[in-house]
């Protein structure tokens, strides 16, 4: 498997708190993408971070990529109840198919 | 806004029946996929089609077969379903952003095999 963790992780927090989700991968990648899947919907891309970027921000989202430890994180600041979803990281090298990690089920309580 | 459309949303059937799921994308993408998502949310790629040519088949059982009439449509047929086929089937199309693939998913078809 490409992934260090394929089991679904679960986090439950209060609205307004910050949260960080992590994923680790086993083989070299040039890009990590983060996707979010809300209930009854398909996953949708949130953010893409490349191997030459250590950090990438988009609104309340912040992604990091550490190629030396082969890990990535996604942080959400000031969470809202609408952030409740399953979050996936995904990797592919240029030209290779996208593969998904096990996901984190985030519940944000209002 | 959804641009990958899947039908039906849900399907309940019995072991041994045949089912077909439809998928259409209006994004003009050249590549489409079928993923299987199990009850633990794990996403596994099943097939991908690029301009009607099968380019990936992740050793899924032979009772599964993709069907495409053009690059905007990719259907999935399951001949003689088994209980382990119960899952959500997600269709996606993809484009490349500076060489890296980005997927656009439909809402999924939830299959329950009794």
């Amino acid at each position: 498997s490409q992934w260090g963790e394929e089991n679904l992780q679960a986090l439950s927090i209060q609205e307004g708190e910050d949260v960080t989700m992590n994923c680790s991968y086993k083989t070299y990648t040039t890009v990590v993408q983060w996707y979010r899947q809300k209930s009854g919907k398909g996953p949708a891309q949130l953010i893409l971070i490349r191997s030459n970027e250590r950090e990438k921000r988009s609104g309340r989202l912040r992604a990091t990529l550490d190629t030396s430890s082969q890990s990535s994180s996604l942080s959400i600041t000031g969470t809202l109840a609408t952030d409740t979803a399953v979050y996936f990281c995904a990797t592919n090298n240029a030209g290779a198919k996208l593969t998904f990690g096990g996901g984190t089920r985030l519940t944000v309580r209002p | 806004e959804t641009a990958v459309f899947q039908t039906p949303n849900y399907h309940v059937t019995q072991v041994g029946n045949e089912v077909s799921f439809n998928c259409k994308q209006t994004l003009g993408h050249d590549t489409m996929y079928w993923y299987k998502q199990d009850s633990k949310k794990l996403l596994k790629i099943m097939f991908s089609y690029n301009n009607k040519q099968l380019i990936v088949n992740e050793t899924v059982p032979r009772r599964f077969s993709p069907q495409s009439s053009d690059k905007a449509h990719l259907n999935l047929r399951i001949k003689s379903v088994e209980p382990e086929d119960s899952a959500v089937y997600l269709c996606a199309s993809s484009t490349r952003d500076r060489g890296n693939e980005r997927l656009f998913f439909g809402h999924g078809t939830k299959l329950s095999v009794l």
Side-chain angles (χ1 to χ4, degrees):
Chain A
S1 167
Q2 159 73 329
W3 299 101
E5 177 58 70
E6 288 199 332
N7 292 324
L8 181 66
Q9 306 296 299
L11 291 172
S12 180
I13 60 173
Q14 201 71 33
E15 196 170 35
E17 293 180 358
D18 300 342
V19 67
T20 297
M21 292 166 278
N22 300 295
C23 80
S24 60
Y25 54 91
K26 293 180 179 177
T27 58
Y28 173 78
T29 187
T30 56
V31 163
V32 171
Q33 303 184 35
W34 284 89
Y35 283 73
R36 176 178 68 188
Q37 184 177 22
K38 293 195 172 185
S39 179
K41 303 285 180 66
Q45 191 199 65
L46 290 176
I47 197 166
L48 180 155
I49 183 166
R50 303 180 190 280
S51 56
N52 62 350
E53 301 172 310
R54 288 189 61 83
E55 178 182 292
K56 186 86 168 279
R57 291 179 184 266
S58 176
R60 295 182 295 110
L61 304 177
R62 173 178 171 262
T64 66
L65 177 57
D66 184 342
T67 54
S68 62
S69 65
Q70 297 190 149
S71 63
S72 178
S73 70
L74 178 71
S75 299
I76 308 175
T77 56
T79 54
L80 305 170
T82 52
D83 293 325
T84 293
V86 178
Y87 291 79
F88 297 96
C89 57
T91 66
N92 64 336
N93 292 322
K97 67 183 187 298
L98 199 63
T99 58
F100 289 83
T104 298
R105 185 190 299 272
L106 175 66
T107 303
V108 182
R109 302 185 303 274
Chain B
E1 186 174 341
T2 302
V4 180
F5 304 95
Q6 291 186 238
T7 57
N9 292 330
Y10 304 95
H11 190 82
V12 181
T13 190
Q14 294 187 327
V15 171
N17 286 349
E18 178 175 315
V19 299
S20 287
F21 304 146
N22 299 316
C23 180
K24 172 187 174 181
Q25 56 101 357
T26 59
L27 296 165
H29 293 162
D30 288 333
T31 304
M32 294 183 70
Y33 295 87
W34 279 102
Y35 280 79
K36 180 180 180 181
Q37 186 171 45
D38 63 21
S39 58
K40 297 180 180 180
K41 300 297 184 182
L42 200 59
L43 282 162
K44 292 292 189 186
I45 188 170
M46 300 181 72
F47 302 103
S48 71
Y49 253 71
N50 179 274
N51 282 333
K52 295 177 65 177
Q53 300 298 315
L54 181 67
I55 57 175
V56 172
N57 182 334
E58 294 291 322
T59 62
V60 298
R62 294 182 67 179
R63 61 180 179 277
F64 290 84
S65 59
Q67 300 168 322
S68 178
S69 56
D70 54 58
K71 72 175 190 178
H73 296 84
L74 183 64
N75 301 330
L76 179 66
R77 185 179 79 161
I78 313 174
K79 190 175 176 181
S80 189
V81 294
E82 299 287 338
E84 61 264 30
D85 298 338
S86 294
V88 175
Y89 292 86
L90 289 158
C91 176
S93 68
S94 73
T95 187
R96 290 201 170 268
D97 171 18
R98 284 186 281 170
N100 294 291
E101 191 167 40
R102 176 179 177 179
L103 296 182
F104 295 80
F105 285 89
H107 289 185
T109 294
K110 184 172 184 178
L111 173 66
S112 295
V113 181
L114 305 177

